[in-house]
Amino acid sequence: TGGGSSQGTVTLTGNAPTGGATVSLASSNTTAATVPASVTVAAGTNRATFTVATRTVGASTSVTVSASYGGVGRTATLTVQPAAPPPPPPPADSLSTLTLSPTSVAGGGTSRGTVTLTSAAPSGGAVVSLTSSNAGAASVPSSVTVAAGATSASFTVTTARVSATTSVNVSASYGGATRTASLSVTASASTDTVGIQAAEYESSKRELRVEASSNNSGAVLRCYVTSTGALIGTLTNEGGGRYRAQFSVSSNPQNITVRSSLGGSASRSVTVK
């Protein structure tokens, strides 16, 4: 690139004599690339190096560098490229960043995506469009809205179980800018381990309280009536593999089963309070 340098090397057919060998140098276009007038090969050696200094150019320019010694001339070609133009600044109101946390998740788990604007969202909010390069492995909502006056908003990336690690690109677009983040959806070698720490039914409130756990904090846990398989509801992920929920149910289910999106499950009798 113009403004950079290249190293030239001249090599003789034999070692230079006493006093060294002076090799003459020339450039076919000194406005693009310059060389010293000569370079000396030290006595007893057969090569020497020199620097080709280049200058800024408006278009790709080919320069021939010549070296002469002992009645023999050799040439080499150097291409001087123009510097790449700086990227245009983002619009005053556009998308600045897209991040995913975590960036690797076992299939069936979730990741949290966050979009950040270059400035506060206008009145009415900013609708950021979302896409996934592989919705079968990781799906996203069609859009997320940054509230008026805010600069960021979050959304959930929901993944499916996969047979092999799959890379998915999640993209967000707003204000003429598009940002992309990569999510690695990994295959689950085995099911996760689910435990139920509490299952209590309070008759007076007709309320079922469930506390459960999974050794994979990205799992989604759902509660079912063991005898019928009827879904009661989804537990809230409180982080660190801990899950909790309170469900309004008309009668004591007697026994519940908590199933994980990663395949694990556990059952427990319900205690009446």
Side-chain angles (χ1 to χ4, degrees), residues 6 33 52 54 61-65 76-80:
S6 177
V52 184
T54 69
T61 304
S62 181
V63 180
T64 300
V65 176
T77 301
L78 176 69
T79 301
V80 184

PDB file of all heavy atoms in Angstrom, residues 6 33 52 54 61-65 76-80:
ATOM      1  N   SER A   6       8.945  -1.913   0.803  1.00  0.00           N
ATOM      2  CA  SER A   6       9.244  -3.275   0.394  1.00  0.00           C
ATOM      3  C   SER A   6      10.757  -3.469   0.501  1.00  0.00           C
ATOM      4  O   SER A   6      11.524  -2.508   0.374  1.00  0.00           O
ATOM      5  CB  SER A   6       8.782  -3.512  -1.051  1.00  0.00           C
ATOM      6  OG  SER A   6       9.136  -4.816  -1.486  1.00  0.00           O
ATOM      7  N   ALA A  33       7.458   4.884  -6.278  1.00  0.00           N
ATOM      8  CA  ALA A  33       8.408   4.090  -5.492  1.00  0.00           C
ATOM      9  C   ALA A  33       9.826   4.554  -5.776  1.00  0.00           C
ATOM     10  O   ALA A  33      10.208   4.736  -6.938  1.00  0.00           O
ATOM     11  CB  ALA A  33       8.269   2.606  -5.815  1.00  0.00           C
ATOM     12  N   VAL A  52      12.757  -0.272  -0.606  1.00  0.00           N
ATOM     13  CA  VAL A  52      11.990   0.442  -1.627  1.00  0.00           C
ATOM     14  C   VAL A  52      10.908   1.225  -0.883  1.00  0.00           C
ATOM     15  O   VAL A  52      10.033   0.631  -0.255  1.00  0.00           O
ATOM     16  CB  VAL A  52      11.339  -0.515  -2.636  1.00  0.00           C
ATOM     17  CG1 VAL A  52      10.624   0.274  -3.729  1.00  0.00           C
ATOM     18  CG2 VAL A  52      12.363  -1.458  -3.234  1.00  0.00           C
ATOM     19  N   THR A  54       7.655   3.645  -0.821  1.00  0.00           N
ATOM     20  CA  THR A  54       6.554   3.986  -1.731  1.00  0.00           C
ATOM     21  C   THR A  54       5.813   5.226  -1.245  1.00  0.00           C
ATOM     22  O   THR A  54       5.925   5.630  -0.080  1.00  0.00           O
ATOM     23  CB  THR A  54       5.555   2.819  -1.852  1.00  0.00           C
ATOM     24  OG1 THR A  54       4.851   2.669  -0.604  1.00  0.00           O
ATOM     25  CG2 THR A  54       6.272   1.515  -2.196  1.00  0.00           C
ATOM     26  N   THR A  61      -0.553   0.990  -9.152  1.00  0.00           N
ATOM     27  CA  THR A  61       0.545   1.409 -10.030  1.00  0.00           C
ATOM     28  C   THR A  61       1.646   0.364 -10.031  1.00  0.00           C
ATOM     29  O   THR A  61       2.113  -0.060  -8.969  1.00  0.00           O
ATOM     30  CB  THR A  61       1.126   2.760  -9.557  1.00  0.00           C
ATOM     31  OG1 THR A  61       0.073   3.731  -9.509  1.00  0.00           O
ATOM     32  CG2 THR A  61       2.225   3.235 -10.488  1.00  0.00           C
ATOM     33  N   SER A  62       2.066  -0.048 -11.232  1.00  0.00           N
ATOM     34  CA  SER A  62       3.141  -1.030 -11.367  1.00  0.00           C
ATOM     35  C   SER A  62       4.469  -0.298 -11.564  1.00  0.00           C
ATOM     36  O   SER A  62       4.583   0.596 -12.411  1.00  0.00           O
ATOM     37  CB  SER A  62       2.860  -1.959 -12.558  1.00  0.00           C
ATOM     38  OG  SER A  62       3.884  -2.920 -12.682  1.00  0.00           O
ATOM     39  N   VAL A  63       5.485  -0.659 -10.752  1.00  0.00           N
ATOM     40  CA  VAL A  63       6.803  -0.026 -10.806  1.00  0.00           C
ATOM     41  C   VAL A  63       7.855  -1.105 -11.055  1.00  0.00           C
ATOM     42  O   VAL A  63       7.845  -2.146 -10.392  1.00  0.00           O
ATOM     43  CB  VAL A  63       7.118   0.715  -9.496  1.00  0.00           C
ATOM     44  CG1 VAL A  63       8.502   1.365  -9.563  1.00  0.00           C
ATOM     45  CG2 VAL A  63       6.049   1.753  -9.183  1.00  0.00           C
ATOM     46  N   THR A  64       8.754  -0.841 -12.014  1.00  0.00           N
ATOM     47  CA  THR A  64       9.850  -1.767 -12.278  1.00  0.00           C
ATOM     48  C   THR A  64      11.111  -1.279 -11.568  1.00  0.00           C
ATOM     49  O   THR A  64      11.549  -0.144 -11.781  1.00  0.00           O
ATOM     50  CB  THR A  64      10.127  -1.878 -13.786  1.00  0.00           C
ATOM     51  OG1 THR A  64       8.947  -2.365 -14.434  1.00  0.00           O
ATOM     52  CG2 THR A  64      11.277  -2.833 -14.061  1.00  0.00           C
ATOM     53  N   VAL A  65      11.662  -2.116 -10.711  1.00  0.00           N
ATOM     54  CA  VAL A  65      12.900  -1.803 -10.014  1.00  0.00           C
ATOM     55  C   VAL A  65      14.031  -2.548 -10.730  1.00  0.00           C
ATOM     56  O   VAL A  65      13.923  -3.764 -10.965  1.00  0.00           O
ATOM     57  CB  VAL A  65      12.830  -2.212  -8.536  1.00  0.00           C
ATOM     58  CG1 VAL A  65      14.173  -1.971  -7.838  1.00  0.00           C
ATOM     59  CG2 VAL A  65      11.717  -1.448  -7.829  1.00  0.00           C
ATOM     60  N   ALA A  76      12.669  -6.389 -11.240  1.00  0.00           N
ATOM     61  CA  ALA A  76      11.566  -6.968 -10.464  1.00  0.00           C
ATOM     62  C   ALA A  76      10.435  -5.953 -10.442  1.00  0.00           C
ATOM     63  O   ALA A  76      10.671  -4.733 -10.508  1.00  0.00           O
ATOM     64  CB  ALA A  76      12.014  -7.299  -9.046  1.00  0.00           C
ATOM     65  N   THR A  77       9.214  -6.454 -10.383  1.00  0.00           N
ATOM     66  CA  THR A  77       8.041  -5.564 -10.434  1.00  0.00           C
ATOM     67  C   THR A  77       7.396  -5.439  -9.060  1.00  0.00           C
ATOM     68  O   THR A  77       7.168  -6.440  -8.364  1.00  0.00           O
ATOM     69  CB  THR A  77       7.006  -6.092 -11.442  1.00  0.00           C
ATOM     70  OG1 THR A  77       7.616  -6.165 -12.734  1.00  0.00           O
ATOM     71  CG2 THR A  77       5.791  -5.172 -11.510  1.00  0.00           C
ATOM     72  N   LEU A  78       7.097  -4.209  -8.682  1.00  0.00           N
ATOM     73  CA  LEU A  78       6.397  -3.915  -7.429  1.00  0.00           C
ATOM     74  C   LEU A  78       5.085  -3.220  -7.757  1.00  0.00           C
ATOM     75  O   LEU A  78       5.062  -2.265  -8.534  1.00  0.00           O
ATOM     76  CB  LEU A  78       7.251  -3.009  -6.538  1.00  0.00           C
ATOM     77  CG  LEU A  78       6.589  -2.543  -5.241  1.00  0.00           C
ATOM     78  CD1 LEU A  78       6.402  -3.704  -4.280  1.00  0.00           C
ATOM     79  CD2 LEU A  78       7.426  -1.444  -4.583  1.00  0.00           C
ATOM     80  N   THR A  79       3.997  -3.695  -7.186  1.00  0.00           N
ATOM     81  CA  THR A  79       2.695  -3.052  -7.377  1.00  0.00           C
ATOM     82  C   THR A  79       2.371  -2.216  -6.141  1.00  0.00           C
ATOM     83  O   THR A  79       2.353  -2.732  -5.022  1.00  0.00           O
ATOM     84  CB  THR A  79       1.586  -4.097  -7.598  1.00  0.00           C
ATOM     85  OG1 THR A  79       1.910  -4.875  -8.752  1.00  0.00           O
ATOM     86  CG2 THR A  79       0.241  -3.421  -7.810  1.00  0.00           C
ATOM     87  N   VAL A  80       2.135  -0.944  -6.356  1.00  0.00           N
ATOM     88  CA  VAL A  80       1.782  -0.023  -5.271  1.00  0.00           C
ATOM     89  C   VAL A  80       0.271   0.205  -5.319  1.00  0.00           C
ATOM     90  O   VAL A  80      -0.252   0.688  -6.327  1.00  0.00           O
ATOM     91  CB  VAL A  80       2.540   1.309  -5.400  1.00  0.00           C
ATOM     92  CG1 VAL A  80       2.235   2.202  -4.196  1.00  0.00           C
ATOM     93  CG2 VAL A  80       4.045   1.061  -5.514  1.00  0.00           C
TER      94      VAL A  80
END
